[in-house]
Amino acid sequence: MAQTSANPIISDLRDRIQHLEGAAARRKSVLPFGVAMIDERLPGGGLAHGAVHEFAGGGAGAVDGAAAALFVAGVAARTKGKVVWCLARPDLFAPALAQVGLHPDRVIYVEAIREEYVLEAFEEALRFGGLAAVVAELVRLPMVASRRLQLAAEGSGTIGLIIRRWRRQTEAGDFGHPTAAATRWRISVLPSEPLPVPGIGRARWLAELIRVKAGECAEFEIGACDAKGRICLLPVSADGSDQTARQGRRSG
């Protein structure tokens, strides 16, 4: 028995098994949205920690892209601790993030001159551990890179949030390529919530869950993130403007 316990091969196998068991336990931890109809579509009842999740605007325009960024900021706002945000284009509007609950004192911004460096910073931050969430703004996400990021997230138990951004319409097609992300979302802007009096109601989004491991796709009409990063389900507008807007974006 003493010789068996001292065998370096067996010891190495035990270490690997413990690592895999630890990663599996961390994956069971989730961040729920707090909306039953959405959480029940996600394995475990929320966005998995120790995993990477993708988000993109429903169109190539800046409005839908901003909605996707705010949706991600709302997710990050509902975590506890520091958030690292990696980007190559210095056009992020921090006050908007604060309005959805992600205050500046929680965010560490990492600005890179090239997208390859954004990927490197994102992976390093995921591997670091101890962070509430790590966000990256990327144009492309190759399968090999996404697998590395997923493994990094699994190893630390940190939730990784990727915002896919495009400078031109031709780049948007890359979002259709497969990646190792646990979930993939598409966010589009809809007409604001109607009010009984003149004015502008709560912003409304179409959140499409277009890929989820061990789950089914779905779409939701939601109210935009509030000051604590929370969303809600809102009724579809009676005049059919939601459907018109949705068809216009898909045809474009």
Side-chain angles (χ1 to χ4, degrees):
M1 292 296 294
Q3 291 179 349
T4 301
S5 60
N7 190 314
I9 297 177
I10 294 178
S11 298
D12 181 62
L13 287 173
R14 285 174 177 168
D15 291 341
R16 292 188 181 187
I17 291 172
Q18 290 176 355
H19 175 75
L20 292 173
E21 289 176 343
R26 284 191 291 270
R27 282 198 295 272
K28 294 178 182 178
S29 174
V30 300
L31 178 66
F33 283 97
V35 179
M37 290 185 64
I38 298 178
D39 291 336
E40 67 186 13
R41 293 284 188 149
L42 301 168
L47 294 177
H49 289 278
V52 172
H53 306 272
E54 280 186 87
F55 307 82
V63 176
D64 287 338
L70 290 176
F71 186 82
V72 169
V75 172
R78 292 184 288 106
T79 63
K80 295 181 179 179
K82 293 291 185 179
V83 175
V84 169
W85 197 298
C86 309
L87 68 165
R89 298 164 63 180
D91 57 357
L92 190 64
F93 191 55
L97 305 188
Q99 288 183 342
V100 297
L102 187 57
H103 297 284
D105 58 352
R106 290 188 56 201
V107 185
I108 301 171
Y109 297 102
V110 178
E111 294 186 11
I113 59 174
R114 297 174 60 182
E115 183 159 308
E116 299 92 304
Y117 301 153
V118 173
L119 266 174
E120 291 177 5
F122 185 53
E123 182 176 348
E124 285 298 318
L126 284 175
R127 292 189 185 281
F128 176 76
L131 296 169
V134 183
V135 183
E137 299 181 12
L138 297 170
V139 175
R140 295 180 176 85
L141 183 61
M143 173 59 84
V144 174
S146 70
R147 286 174 176 166
R148 287 180 58 88
L149 297 173
Q150 179 64 25
L151 289 173
E154 290 176 4
S156 66
T158 303
I159 188 169
L161 309 171
I162 298 177
I163 305 171
R164 303 296 297 276
R165 296 189 62 184
W166 303 288
R167 299 177 179 85
R168 56 190 66 88
Q169 182 65 38
T170 55
E171 295 174 336
D174 189 74
F175 192 56
H177 296 168
T179 68
T183 65
R184 177 179 283 182
W185 300 76
R186 184 164 52 202
I187 311 298
S188 305
V189 174
L190 295 175
S192 61
E193 181 183 11
L195 298 176
V197 296
I200 300 176
R202 183 174 182 172
R204 298 172 69 245
W205 298 332
L206 172 66
E208 299 173 87
L209 178 58
I210 59 178
R211 181 180 182 276
V212 54
K213 290 183 178 178
E216 297 181 357
C217 301
E219 60 180 43
F220 313 95
E221 310 275 357
I222 63 174
C225 300
D226 63 13
K228 293 185 178 180
R230 298 172 301 193
I231 59 173
C232 67
L233 290 182
L234 291 177
V236 178
S237 60
D239 61 3
S241 57
D242 291 351
Q243 185 68 20
T244 302
R246 194 183 313 176
Q247 290 176 347
R249 286 189 175 86
R250 287 178 177 172
S251 63

